[in-house]
Amino acid sequence: MDAAATAPTRQDVLQTVWPLLTNDFGNPSSRHELGASAARALSFARGTSAAALGVRENDVVFTSGGTESNNLALKGLALAAPRGRHLVVSAVEHSSVRNAARYLAEHHGFELTVVGVDRRGRVDPADVARALREDTTLVSVMAVNNEVGTIQPIAEIAGAARAAGALVHTDAVQAAGWLDLAELAGGVDALTVSGHKIGGIKGAGLLMVRARLPLAEQLGGGGQERGRRGGTENVAGAVATALALQHAARAARDDDGRAAGFGTHLRDAVVQDLQDRAVPTGHPEQRVPGIVSFCFPGTAGEAVLLELERRGIQCSSGSACHADSDEPSPVLLAMGYAPDLALTSVRLSFTRDVKEAEITQTARALVAAVRAVAPGA
């Protein structure tokens, strides 16, 4: 129940990329048959990814994953041809976006405006519009929050930003497989995907960024990725990401509502048993089904996690990127939760392949875990 941290690698993906790690291991830049074979595989990955996103092949830049893609988007777009030195991000962005924005402010003189969210974790497009200035060069708001699952109104936000002449980036790492990424990509200038969140392999992802836009290379090397990202390409990772993205796009398009029912059942079952001792977080409707999160007053989130693991359920207290931190979640703080309540958070996340019995088992285990660490619950 921690798919938002990483999802299992799809078996069809493994079977396809295995030859690329063994027999067809060439460097795509090499001028011999091994290299040519790798180059064909990379071209296949680029075309497949572009088709899934509804963009041109030259708009796809392969990276090492979500963090690099977010850094390349913010730093690359802001530094290449800044209209000004003003950035707008939301208060609930992934740390890779927040830190990249802070870097630009601290080392390159950019001014940063952080737009808040409501109690449900949702950005008001009107707040973004009010934050825009004549010198705003880039707006970055994630499509789906990685801790509470809230879906952001990206179309409205992008419309306001573009009307003001600013570029728009969205971190779509947690949106893949749940939302229509082609629709998302069609309204923004740059979009981030991470392979291992959707059945690819770790250490691989991509950035969709319009080929017409100047992009300051953050990894200088041999001119790979059309001079946008240096370094020998991870061919197996690119193919794995492309295949996983293709499957995720198909799953989102053919959504039958099954997963939505599971998410609702999990949330409602826990609240029904624990009453006011369980506080669901995130938006009740504008959310992806695969992320269900709670705060449990009177407990410690880490204690609940340990009890859950004793019962065979593995999940997290929030972003896996902050798993070793004793500080309350910046996302929950931005949503208005008190620090002591934010420290009681538990996030459960699953893929579309989850089974009804697993959801039922998880709900029962979570209720039992909370009662074990807070006997009055």
Side-chain angles (χ1 to χ4, degrees):
M1 288 289 153
D2 204 15
T6 194
T9 303
R10 292 178 55 84
Q11 288 301 309
D12 55 344
V13 169
L14 283 175
Q15 291 169 7
T16 301
V17 303
W18 180 248
L20 300 173
L21 296 168
T22 52
N23 295 330
D24 301 325
F25 55 85
N27 186 322
S29 298
S30 296
R31 293 179 177 272
H32 47 59
E33 181 50 36
L34 267 180
S37 177
R40 288 192 293 271
L42 189 63
S43 178
F44 162 81
R46 201 178 310 280
T48 300
S49 299
L53 295 173
V55 299
R56 296 179 300 175
E57 292 187 16
N58 285 344
D59 294 338
V60 175
V61 178
F62 289 113
T63 69
S64 64
T67 290
E68 186 191 341
S69 291
N70 284 340
N71 273 266
L72 179 57
L74 267 74
K75 297 174 185 176
L77 290 172
L79 293 173
R83 188 173 75 123
R85 292 194 173 265
H86 178 235
L87 306 171
V88 177
V89 302
S90 87
V92 293
E93 295 303 302
H94 187 270
S95 56
S96 58
V97 168
R98 294 199 310 267
N99 290 339
R102 290 193 193 114
Y103 170 86
L104 288 167
E106 293 173 5
H107 298 284
H108 292 277
F110 282 79
E111 190 175 347
L112 176 61
T113 296
V114 179
V115 175
V117 296
D118 62 20
R119 184 75 171 185
R120 297 171 169 183
R122 196 161 160 91
V123 176
D124 187 341
D127 290 341
V128 175
R130 282 189 288 270
L132 294 167
R133 308 187 325 206
E134 289 186 359
D135 62 340
T136 304
T137 192
L138 180 66
V139 174
S140 182
V141 177
M142 70 195 330
V144 172
N145 185 262
N146 55 307
E147 293 189 31
V148 300
T150 296
I151 300 171
Q152 301 296 353
I154 297 301
E156 294 86 344
I157 290 169
R162 285 184 154 181
L167 299 176
V168 184
H169 163 255
T170 189
D171 174 353
V173 165
Q174 298 295 345
W178 301 107
L179 303 185
D180 185 340
L181 288 196
E183 182 178 344
L184 265 178
V188 299
D189 300 291
L191 178 146
T192 292
V193 172
S194 177
H196 74 99
K197 308 288 189 178
I198 52 176
I201 59 179
K202 298 178 186 69
L206 64 83
L207 176 67
M208 186 291 294
V209 57
R210 303 298 174 187
R212 60 178 169 77
L213 296 174
L215 188 72
E217 186 181 36
Q218 299 303 299
L219 291 177
Q224 291 89 348
E225 295 299 288
R226 299 178 63 247
R228 299 187 141 199
R229 195 267 190 188
T232 300
E233 300 91 341
N234 177 0
V235 178
V239 171
T241 298
L243 292 175
L245 181 58
Q246 182 182 57
H247 174 79
R250 188 181 301 118
R253 185 179 63 247
D254 300 337
D255 183 15
D256 59 2
R258 174 177 173 273
F262 285 162
T264 300
H265 172 65
L266 177 56
R267 183 183 67 225
D268 292 351
V270 172
V271 172
Q272 181 177 345
D273 278 352
L274 294 176
Q275 303 294 319
D276 59 357
R277 299 304 297 270
V279 179
T281 59
H283 200 286
E285 289 94 28
Q286 297 299 320
R287 62 182 303 117
V288 294
I291 298 178
V292 180
S293 57
F294 301 91
C295 286
F296 296 106
T299 72
E302 292 300 324
V304 175
L305 294 185
L306 290 173
E307 285 293 328
L308 276 171
E309 189 155 15
R310 287 183 58 243
R311 291 166 169 80
I313 307 296
Q314 298 179 45
C315 57
S316 67
S317 58
S319 173
C321 302
H322 293 123
D324 58 351
S325 173
D326 294 328
E327 297 298 316
S329 160
V331 168
L332 292 178
L333 295 181
M335 292 167 62
Y337 288 86
D340 58 342
L341 184 57
L343 285 170
T344 72
S345 66
V346 171
R347 178 189 70 179
L348 305 115
S349 52
F350 51 86
T351 70
R352 288 182 180 274
D353 296 327
V354 72
K355 298 177 177 61
E356 184 175 3
E358 294 171 332
I359 294 292
T360 300
Q361 177 189 356
T362 298
R364 290 173 178 168
L366 182 54
V367 170
V370 172
R371 286 177 172 159
V373 301

